Amino acid sequence: MSTYEKYHDIKELYITDFSVWQDYDINNTTEIVIDAINSAEGVYVYRSHAHLLEENDFIKWLKNEKELMYYKEVSLKFREDNMIENFVLRNKEPVYFLEFNKDNKENFLKQFKISIRDIKNRISKENTIKYLEKRIYIDDPLYDQYDFIFTVGNQAILFTDIHVFTFVKAEV
């Protein structure tokens, strides 16, 4: 069986009312992300940049999860704007999907990191230190190459663009 035969073809997701969050307030950002993880039933993880082709420790951990599924493509429809964004194999790497259960969600929270590498020049050194004091932030370019879509059913509740530190949050 070839590597691509184990992949599901396409998954369609949607997001309705949403707001785009690009704020360097560590408390607000952390709360939005942690709330989304706690509310989510699953997460799609995909490579959004290929400037460094190494895997980070989070991806290495993720690949060992038993519940992990692979997709050739995930389509996210922004119903409010009638736009569709497609995420496909990049660097021969699929879109990963992890359906959360109690155990793997706790492990996910332990492993999950958001890179602040590309925002360090826009925030003060003092704020950089504050971010790095929190467990979910890291100063590592390997972590800004992957993004996340947290979901409940087929609805996206949070969609990240970590490279530019932007979060698209569903309004409930």
Side-chain angles (χ1 to χ4, degrees), residues 141-153:
L142 291 178
Y143 282 81
D144 79 351
Q145 297 184 92
Y146 291 91
D147 278 298
F148 305 86
I149 305 170
F150 296 96
T151 60
V152 173

Side-chain angles (χ1 to χ4, degrees), residues 39 47 49 55 59-60 63 100 104 116 126 138-139:
S39 300
R47 182 180 280 276
H49 298 281
E55 293 177 340
I59 295 298
K60 291 174 185 172
K63 285 182 168 182
F100 285 143
N104 70 15
I116 62 163
E126 179 182 304
I138 192 167
D139 180 9

